[in-house]
Every structure is written in structure tokens, then in C-alpha cells.
């Protein structure tokens, strides 16, 4: 099938206005937050599940690569074509279909922005807990495809824990529904959870039924300053040992504080220090009691400064600075390689020591922040991509980082996924037998290998 024939067939399914072939569109839909990728040959914007099915069947029959795409905020290239073909953007699937307060659930289309769903849930007195830093831009479908986390994962869990059911289109065009509105369902294999985190390689998600929880009556946020990572982590372990389960515990290192200062953002603390942002939520009485215990644990661990937000505005200001970290770091260097590694909580200091050693041996600037409560730390390598020698050092450093993380019994990805950027390293964490099983699952869903090719699996040797 020629490109013109493919475009004409796609126009017959979704309408000519929703098929884009101009260079600007092909380039725009060929990259994500990683700023790496390959231009699409064709961009298609379906508006119904039937249209998604028609495009999938067209690509399957013509053996054309099909890459599903949401908001394009990913860091591993999961929504980026690697060899042209069709990009299927779900941007028209942007409606909240239902907020069912009595049953504590929402039914949404995949391109609903995370913050939009959170606001709708809160208006009904409910909470949708998953809160990736990109929540103002990232979409629910991508969150489900990557199993997004965020600061509140320490207490509430990741996206996986809130997906009750899905509507999905298989690469062959069949439409399936998995799970549903009931909170218990053990009928057959758990296809819902298999699709969560599958990075758009098994099916195109067109609807999600999500669990909500009652909105906490109160929340308090504390900023604590420590001289080093060891004392900060000691505070985290002390908080947990004291029986407090904060909604979030975030760590920010000195390199990040310097980046915020350079960007003109409100400082969280003095350059060279290590900061914890800790939030507790629940009933008013429980929050005040938990805050007192958190303050005590921080003082005992060696905090040099403690400040609790006095009201909602101060609380939001603290979290806004935390969300500003990635843009501030991007301003320091043309290329920011963001790795979302995760280790057991008590081994976070060892991870920071490994990063310090890599920083020294590679001569590259590295900054760390993340969800210290569950050991998920974002290690950012900053460099100029036009410096070929620096790029080689960065690639060697990231491989060494992954090896150190696995030696600490961690994982090379806690929330960003594998995409194409980490595919060469999959074999560091998974056995050949496990990878072979994943490949068999992929073939069962996608016998012709047309859906999001080039992702997750190591490239041919």
C-alpha cells in the first residue's frame, strides 16, 4: 500500500480533516518530552472507538507501524514512532464520562488531563490520588500505559491501584472490555492489570474506569532542611518507624536547589543542603498528631530548619516549586537525561553515594530528586548533546547507574517505563526466560508486531 493509498484509506475512516501529512504535524507528533524520535508518516485523530478499531485494522492488514499517543509528556519515547508509520493521537478522547460518587469511581476517556480529573473528583468530595509531576499536562491514558506514580504513591499507591476496568482496541482491530465497576473480579486472567504499564505495545486504550477515594478533610505540608542525604533518610526511616504514613515524602538535593535558584524560583532551602517535603493528610485531629510526630522525627534525625505551611496557599507554593524542578534543570543544559530508578527505602543513601561517584568519574553534572518514601529517585544527567565525548560518558554513566541500582536490589524504572531509551538495558534486570515470555505475550496480542514497535524489547544484536 502506498502512502497516498494509506492516507486515503485513513480519511475514509476518520474524515480528511483528521488525517495530517504536513511536515510540521509529522515532526510535532514524532517527539515527546524526551525530544528524541522519528517523524510519523501520517498522523490520524480518531474520535470514536470504532474509528480507532478501523485504523488498527487498516494498519494490521497493511503491516504499517501504529503508535498510539496521548499528551506526549513521557521521558522514554513510549509515544514516539521509531520507524515512521501512523501515529494515532487520542487527543479527541478528552471527556470525563462519569463521576459516580456513591460507588467511588470515575469513567474517563484517555486524553483527560490528570489535573482535570483530580479537580472533578474533588468537586464531588473525592480524591483521585495518582499525581505525577506532569499532572497539569499528562493524560490519564498515558498514566495508565506507563503506570505513573508521583509523590502520593507512598501512601496511596500508583496508577495501577486505581484502574478497575478498561476499554481497549487490539492491534488486529477487535474491541475488548476488561474489568468493570465492581471492586472485586477474579473471572479469567487479569487483563486489566496486564494492560496497565504495557506502554502502548499490547492495545490502544479508549476508556478507563478508575477508583476514587474520599477526599481527606485536612492536609499539612512540612519543609525540612538537612545537612546531607544520610540524615534526611534517617528522618524518613524514623517517621515510618513511628507509625506515620505520610501522603508524600519528597527529597531534593543540593544540585536541584542550585538549579531552582538559577531559574529564579522561590528557594526551598540553602544551596548545598538536602530538603524533604513531607505531607500528611486525614482527619483534622489525625493530621495535627501526625505532623507533631513528623516534626519530632526530623528533629531527632538532625534537621537544621523546619517550616510547616500555614495555609493552603503556602502548601501549594511548596508543591509548585517541587513541580518546577524538571523545567529548572532543563534550563541548565541542552539535554537532561532523566532516569527514574528505584531502590529499597533504606538504601537511598547508598544510591546517592553511587551517583556522587558517577558524577566524579564522568565529570558530568547530575541532580537528584524524587519520592524518597518509596525509594523512587530521579537521577538527572545534564549535558550538551553536541559534545560527542560527553554523550559517550553519559551513556557509560547511565549503564553504570543501572548496574548499581540492581546491585542494591532496585529497578531501572519506577514510573517512566522502558520505551526505546531503556530497551537496551532490559536484560540487566530481566532474565532471558522472562523476556522470552514477554515476547510471547506481545505476539498473542499483536501477531504482526505493528503496535508501537521498537519499545521495551532490546533491539536485535
Amino acid at each position: 500500500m502506498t502512502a497516498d493509498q494509506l492516507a486515503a484509506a485513513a480519511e475514509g475512516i476518520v474524515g480528511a480533516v483528521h488525517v495530517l501529512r504536513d511536515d510540521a504535524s509529522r515532526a510535532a507528533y514524532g517527539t515527546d518530552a524526551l525530544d528524541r524520535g522519528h517523524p510519523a508518516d501520517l498522523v490520524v485523530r480518531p474520535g470514536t472507538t470504532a474509528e480507532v478499531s478501523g485504523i488498527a485494522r487498516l494498519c494490521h492488514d497493511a503491516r504499517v507501524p501504529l503508535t498510539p499517543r496521548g499528551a506526549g509528556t513521557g521521558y522514554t519515547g513510549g509515544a514516539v514512532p521509531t520507524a515512521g508509520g501512523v501515529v494515532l493521537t487520542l487527543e479527541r478522547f478528552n471527556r470525563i464520562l462519569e463521576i459516580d460518587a456513591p460507588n467511588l469511581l470515575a469513567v474517563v476517556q484517555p486524553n483527560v488531563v490528570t489535573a482535570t480529573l483530580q479537580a472533578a473528583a474533588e468537586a464531588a468530595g473525592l480524591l483521585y490520588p495518582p499525581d505525577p509531576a506532569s499532572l497539569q499536562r499528562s493524560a490519564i491514558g498515558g498514566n495508565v500505559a506507563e503506570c505513573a506514580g508521583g509523590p502520593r504513591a507512598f501512601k496511596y499507591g500508583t496508577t495501577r491501584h486505581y484502574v478497575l476496568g478498561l476499554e481497549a482496541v487490539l492491534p488486529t482491530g477487535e474491541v475488548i472490555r476488561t474489568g468493570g465497576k465492581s471492586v472485586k473480579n477474579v473471572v479469567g486472567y487479569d487483563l486489566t492489570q496486564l494492560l496497565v504499564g504495557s506502554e502502548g505495545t499490547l492495545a490502544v486504550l479508549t476508556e478507563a474506569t478508575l477508583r476514587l477515594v474520599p477526599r481527606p478533610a485536612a492536609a499539612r505540608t512540612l519543609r525540612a532542611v538537612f545537612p546531607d542525604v544520610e540524615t534526611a533518610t534517617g528522618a524518613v526511616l524514623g517517621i515510618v518507624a513511628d507509625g506515620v504514613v505520610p501522603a508524600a515524602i519528597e527529597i531534593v538535593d543540593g544540585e536541584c536547589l542550585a538549579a531552582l535558584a538559577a531559574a529564579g524560583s522561590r528557594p526551598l532551602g540553602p544551596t548545598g543542603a538536602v530538603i524533604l517535603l513531607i505531607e500528611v493528610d486525614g482527619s483534622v485531629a489525625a493530621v495535627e498528631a501526625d505532623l507533631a510526630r513528623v516534626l519530632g522525627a526530623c528533629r531527632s534525625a538532625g534537621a537544621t530548619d523546619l517550616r510547616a505551611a500555614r495555609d493552603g496557599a503556602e502548601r501549594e507554593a511548596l508543591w509548585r516549586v517541587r513541580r518546577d524542578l524538571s523545567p529548572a534543570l532543563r534550563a541548565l543544559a541542552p539535554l537532561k537525561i532523566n532516569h527514574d530508578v528505584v531502590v529499597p527505602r533504606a538504601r537511598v543513601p547508598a544510591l546517592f553515594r553511587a551517583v556522587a561517584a558517577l558524577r566524579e568519574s564522568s565529570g558530568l553534572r547530575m541532580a537528584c530528586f524524587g519520592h524518597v518514601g518509596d525509594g523512587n529517585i530521579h537521577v538527572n544527567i545534564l549535558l550538551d548533546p553536541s559534545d560527542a565525548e560527553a554523550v559517550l560518558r553519559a551513556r557509560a554513566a547511565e549503564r553504570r547507574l543501572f548496574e548499581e541500582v540492581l546491585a542494591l536490589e532496585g529497578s531501572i524504572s519506577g514510573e517512566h517505563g522502558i520505551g526505546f531509551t531503556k530497551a537496551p538495558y532490559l536484560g540487566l534486570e530481566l532474565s532471558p526466560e522472562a523476556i522470552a515470555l514477554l515476547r510471547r505475550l506481545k505476539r498473542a496480542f499483536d501477531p504482526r508486531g505493528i503496535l508501537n514497535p521498537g519499545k521495551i524489547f532490546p533491539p536485535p544484536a
Side-chain angles (χ1 to χ4, degrees):
M1 181 178 287
T2 67
D4 288 342
Q5 289 172 328
L6 181 67
E11 289 175 358
I13 296 170
V14 302
V17 70
H18 295 303
V19 176
L20 310 176
R21 299 181 70 184
D22 61 285
D23 290 345
S25 295
R26 291 171 54 243
Y29 288 90
T31 59
D32 61 5
L34 186 68
D35 290 329
R36 288 170 56 193
H38 187 289
D41 293 328
L42 200 66
V43 177
V44 180
R45 303 186 300 188
T48 67
T49 299
E51 290 178 354
V52 174
S53 173
I55 295 298
R57 187 172 291 109
L58 170 65
C59 291
H60 173 79
D61 291 344
R63 298 179 184 269
V64 172
L66 177 64
T67 303
R69 179 185 177 92
T73 59
Y75 278 105
T76 59
V80 171
T82 56
V86 173
V87 165
L88 187 147
T89 171
L90 293 155
E91 62 197 58
R92 296 173 64 198
F93 285 74
N94 59 6
R95 293 185 297 134
I96 297 174
L97 302 176
E98 184 179 5
I99 298 289
D100 183 347
N103 288 308
L104 297 176
L105 59 85
V107 181
V108 305
Q109 293 184 317
N111 220 54
V112 171
V113 172
T114 311
T116 301
L117 173 59
Q118 289 182 342
E122 290 178 11
L126 303 172
L127 177 69
Y128 178 67
D131 61 334
S134 59
L135 62 88
Q136 297 292 342
R137 296 171 290 113
S138 65
I140 292 297
N143 290 176
V144 173
E146 301 294 338
C147 192
R152 288 199 291 234
F154 177 62
K155 178 176 182 178
Y156 290 101
T158 63
T159 300
R160 180 180 304 282
H161 300 95
Y162 295 88
V163 182
L164 293 173
L166 295 168
E167 179 185 79
V169 177
L170 301 182
T172 47
E174 295 102 324
V175 179
I176 63 170
R177 296 195 73 95
T178 72
K181 292 187 174 183
S182 59
V183 296
K184 293 182 177 180
N185 184 332
V186 293
V187 178
Y189 297 133
D190 194 342
L191 296 176
T192 302
Q193 291 303 314
L194 179 59
L195 293 178
V196 176
S198 62
E199 303 191 38
T201 63
L202 301 182
V204 181
L205 307 181
T206 53
E207 184 181 292
T209 300
L210 304 172
R211 184 170 68 91
L212 306 176
V213 299
R215 184 181 181 185
R220 294 291 302 276
T221 300
L222 170 73
R223 185 223 59 180
V225 180
F226 296 87
D228 50 47
V229 172
E230 283 75 10
T231 53
T233 307
V236 174
L237 297 178
I239 291 166
V240 174
D242 203 22
V244 180
V245 183
I249 311 180
E250 296 287 289
I251 193 167
V252 180
D253 76 357
E255 288 284 339
C256 291
L257 295 174
L260 287 169
S265 294
R266 175 184 174 184
L268 285 168
T271 300
V274 174
I275 304 299
L276 290 183
L277 288 179
I278 306 165
E279 182 161 293
V280 291
D281 65 5
S283 69
V284 174
V287 163
E288 293 305 318
D290 284 348
L291 181 64
R293 286 191 287 174
V294 168
L295 286 165
C298 289
R299 291 191 187 98
S300 297
T304 58
D305 186 32
L306 294 167
R307 184 174 303 172
R310 291 170 295 184
D311 53 34
E314 285 193 2
R315 174 172 162 259
E316 175 55 30
L318 286 173
W319 287 113
R320 188 181 309 115
V321 174
R322 162 63 180 85
R323 290 192 290 271
D324 286 344
L325 273 176
S326 279
L329 290 171
R330 278 197 295 271
L332 292 180
L335 176 60
K336 180 174 77 74
I337 303 174
N338 182 354
H339 286 308
D340 60 322
V341 296
V342 56
V343 297
R345 186 184 308 118
R347 297 189 175 180
V348 168
L351 172 59
F352 273 81
R353 288 193 293 271
V355 172
L358 284 172
R359 187 184 291 122
E360 183 174 350
S361 64
S362 68
L364 296 170
R365 192 168 187 179
M366 299 184 188
C368 299
F369 64 88
H371 323 309
V372 67
D374 52 27
N376 184 192
I377 304 300
H378 295 266
V379 180
N380 298 268
I381 305 174
L382 310 172
L383 69 150
D384 182 350
S386 67
D387 185 341
E389 197 271 335
V391 171
L392 289 176
R393 283 184 281 130
R395 296 308 173 197
E398 67 180 351
R399 183 180 184 89
R400 184 59 185 158
L401 170 67
F402 296 153
E403 291 171 345
E404 293 281 359
V405 164
L406 294 171
L408 294 170
E409 299 182 286
S411 174
I412 66 174
S413 180
E415 49 190 16
H416 290 170
I418 299 300
F420 70 79
T421 63
K422 292 186 179 180
Y425 307 108
L426 190 71
L428 293 178
E429 182 163 340
L430 300 184
S431 69
E433 294 79 9
I435 294 174
L437 176 58
L438 293 182
R439 288 187 184 276
R440 292 197 296 273
L441 284 169
K442 168 68 171 169
R443 284 195 296 272
F445 278 80
D446 185 11
R448 292 185 174 175
I450 61 115
L451 188 61
N452 215 3
K455 312 300 168 60
I456 299 180
F457 299 105

